[in-house]
Amino acid sequence: MKCGLFLLLLSFATLGSKAIKRDDFPEDFVFGSGTSAYQVEGAAAEDGRTPSIWDSFVSYGYGNGSGDVASDGYHKYKEDVKLMAEMGLAAYRFSISWSRLIPNGRGDINPKGLEFYNNLIDELVSHGIQPHVTLSHFDYPQLLQDEYGGWLNRRIVDDFTAFADVCFSKFGDRVSHWVTINEANMVGINGFGLGSVPPGRCSHPYGNCSSGNSIFEPYIVAHHVLLAHSSVVSLYRSKYQGSQRGSIGLNLIIFHFEPKSNSTADQHAGERAWDFFVDWMLEPLTHGDYPETIKKAAGFKLSKFSHDESDQLVGAFDFIGLNYYAVLDVEDCPNDLPPYQRDVMGDMSASLPGFQKKGMPSKPQTLERAASGLRAVLEKMKQRYNNPTIYIHENGLPLKHDGSFNDTNRVKHFIAHLESLHDAMRNGSDTRGYFTWSFVDVLELFQGYEASFGLYYVDFNDKERRRYPMLSSQWYSNFLKRGQNMFGKFESFSEPQSMAI
């Protein structure tokens, strides 16, 4: 096996010898990797944690697996941080479980939850790794969903702000990078329109859920997401940023939308897709109101911002985090139904043939196309929003683990996307960090445990949840440590046995 791998690596030496290098990026450019609380921690019923909407989502029969144990990151965090340090990661992106820290959604702090996140952050800092913390990653206490509907109710703005206040006060002396909400643009569409993520609300014929309203709820939720985000940013800036000297932003999932044809109709459909996926969030944060495209299409379904709310929204970010995975084709799809009968996709009047109901691309695409899409979206962000500071918070390639640890396709993926990113930066994009998804294999939102994104493979059939390094982990380590070429240090790699933790 070792000999065979050695020949394989030599065959890639030419590919790596002229490829992108760590030194091509600024010295302070941040390279990291990430996970999220429900997907990695496990210990779902331990030490005072209460069920989150993701726990309930799974218990209702939705989703693709339970996070009761997941990757057991709750117990294995020290071992994971040790692996990060050995790899040479500069940063680790993770989320804080609201259900673990404040189990009732408001009120008393859970001492065990506080202890865990303090320990994790201390462990990272002691190894020279920056903590990049997300406050909401598709989960919050089920108690709040039961009490008032979660994101459907304006009350969540105050509760989320109070939760953030606890996080800033308890962890902000060591955390300098905060994200309020992960994939804020998908919380409403996926969680309350398609029903594909927690809390899994939707209505026929737009989804098959036990409750919900796909026509109205995504707009209500998006409004409250924006208000909650701007409230938390306002709190951080007025109370903490001066002394803690950190930064705070919002995270979006982003696609490059390519019209299926050169027709004017398809070109306009591509613009509408951007408006509904990106501008819906960023136009209020740059100009204080929703895009005219959405106002016209959604009509009375769209809430209005007060003057004070609009003022608080404008400029309410220090950076924008982007989760980038794919290019989506777009074609014009006229919808003659009145607004009160159309869901978001109907209001957009565009079809995304490669976009499944579950809210992710349905077909693989060429590496060249996917990588060039990253360059395109960064260019559009620069031109459309006055070149904001950006972190690529997620980028990766799912593979079905077949017993091999030679994920060369993932290595090619990283190289191509970093080259595309570098091109965008040379053209002026103010991108300051790149995080792979994911550090270890986790419970994936759409593929469960069937898809492996991790730099480290996790054996989910093993009660110990042992970690095994993929080839991509060694490539990334060599890249970060300024190896002579992409593959030149890998000759000693073999099937991981003694390396397991």
Side-chain angles (χ1 to χ4, degrees), residues 39 63-65 325 356 358 360-361 397-400 437 442-453:
Q39 293 174 275
N64 295 282
Y325 290 96
Q356 292 179 321
K358 65 184 181 181
M360 284 294 285
L397 181 69
L399 299 171
K400 187 173 178 63
W437 183 268
V442 299
L443 170 65
E444 287 299 332
L445 187 60
F446 296 118
Q447 299 108 324
Y449 295 110
E450 295 300 313
S452 163
F453 276 86

Side-chain angles (χ1 to χ4, degrees), residues 206 213-216 297-298 300-301 337-343 347:
Y206 305 109
N213 187 316
S214 299
I215 295 170
F216 291 94
F300 63 91
K301 293 184 287 186
L337 291 173
Y340 61 85
Q341 293 180 0
R342 297 192 308 244
D343 72 341
D347 287 339

Side-chain angles (χ1 to χ4, degrees), residues 1 401-407 470 495:
M1 176 61 191
H401 195 74
D402 58 2
S404 169
F405 296 88
N406 302 328
D407 56 342
M470 301 294 288
E495 287 290 347

Side-chain angles (χ1 to χ4, degrees), residues 205-280:
Y206 305 109
N208 184 24
C209 306
S210 60
S211 61
N213 187 316
S214 299
I215 295 170
F216 291 94
E217 289 188 3
Y219 292 101
I220 297 170
V221 167
H223 196 73
H224 294 155
V225 162
L226 283 164
L227 292 177
H229 164 76
S230 63
S231 173
V232 169
V233 171
S234 179
L235 167 73
Y236 184 69
R237 287 177 170 172
S238 64
K239 189 175 178 180
Y240 296 101
Q241 194 168 42
S243 59
Q244 296 179 357
R245 299 182 179 277
S247 59
I248 189 166
L250 187 71
N251 175 278
L252 308 175
I253 189 167
I254 199 164
F255 303 100
H256 175 49
F257 298 104
E258 285 191 353
K260 287 206 71 175
S261 76
N262 291 325
S263 71
T264 301
D266 282 356
Q267 297 291 322
H268 287 168
E271 283 301 311
R272 289 196 302 275
W274 181 275
D275 289 346
F276 272 84
F277 276 77
V278 184
D279 230 22
W280 192 350

Side-chain angles (χ1 to χ4, degrees), residues 21 120 126 292 397:
K21 301 184 295 297
L120 172 58
S126 70
E292 290 300 322
L397 181 69

Side-chain angles (χ1 to χ4, degrees), residues 7 19 27 84 86 99 162 201 207 239 250 285 289 331 389:
L7 293 175
E27 189 63 31
M84 295 175 205
E86 290 172 351
S99 296
R201 291 179 61 86
K239 189 175 178 180
L250 187 71
L285 294 178
D289 203 0
E331 60 183 345
T389 297

Side-chain angles (χ1 to χ4, degrees), residues 180-396:
T180 55
I181 300 161
N182 179 72
E183 296 188 3
N185 53 338
M186 288 292 102
V187 174
I189 294 175
N190 278 357
F192 294 80
L194 301 176
S196 56
V197 305
R201 291 179 61 86
C202 63
S203 58
H204 296 290
Y206 305 109
N208 184 24
C209 306
S210 60
S211 61
N213 187 316
S214 299
I215 295 170
F216 291 94
E217 289 188 3
Y219 292 101
I220 297 170
V221 167
H223 196 73
H224 294 155
V225 162
L226 283 164
L227 292 177
H229 164 76
S230 63
S231 173
V232 169
V233 171
S234 179
L235 167 73
Y236 184 69
R237 287 177 170 172
S238 64
K239 189 175 178 180
Y240 296 101
Q241 194 168 42
S243 59
Q244 296 179 357
R245 299 182 179 277
S247 59
I248 189 166
L250 187 71
N251 175 278
L252 308 175
I253 189 167
I254 199 164
F255 303 100
H256 175 49
F257 298 104
E258 285 191 353
K260 287 206 71 175
S261 76
N262 291 325
S263 71
T264 301
D266 282 356
Q267 297 291 322
H268 287 168
E271 283 301 311
R272 289 196 302 275
W274 181 275
D275 289 346
F276 272 84
F277 276 77
V278 184
D279 230 22
W280 192 350
M281 296 287 115
L282 293 190
E283 184 70 11
L285 294 178
T286 51
H287 295 103
D289 203 0
Y290 292 115
E292 290 300 322
T293 307
I294 298 181
K295 286 184 181 180
K296 183 177 179 180
F300 63 91
K301 293 184 287 186
L302 206 59
S303 301
K304 293 182 179 180
F305 297 113
S306 70
H307 179 76
D308 288 344
E309 289 168 349
S310 181
D311 285 347
Q312 185 170 266
L313 280 163
V314 175
F317 62 90
D318 298 322
F319 63 84
I320 297 295
L322 300 179
N323 297 350
Y324 175 80
Y325 290 96
V327 176
L328 292 181
D329 293 316
V330 188
E331 60 183 345
D332 186 50
C333 185
N335 193 311
D336 296 328
L337 291 173
Y340 61 85
Q341 293 180 0
R342 297 192 308 244
D343 72 341
V344 171
M345 304 304 285
D347 287 339
M348 189 171 69
S349 295
S351 173
L352 309 175
F355 194 73
Q356 292 179 321
K357 277 288 186 183
K358 65 184 181 181
M360 284 294 285
S362 58
K363 295 180 180 179
Q365 54 198 296
T366 66
L367 175 58
E368 181 181 5
R369 188 178 187 224
S372 66
L374 175 60
R375 182 171 60 249
V377 298
L378 290 174
E379 181 65 22
K380 189 155 188 172
M381 291 289 295
K382 183 187 75 174
Q383 294 181 4
R384 193 137 175 176
Y385 309 107
N386 195 29
N387 201 20
T389 297
I390 285 174
Y391 288 88
I392 306 300
H393 274 155
E394 291 184 23
N395 180 244

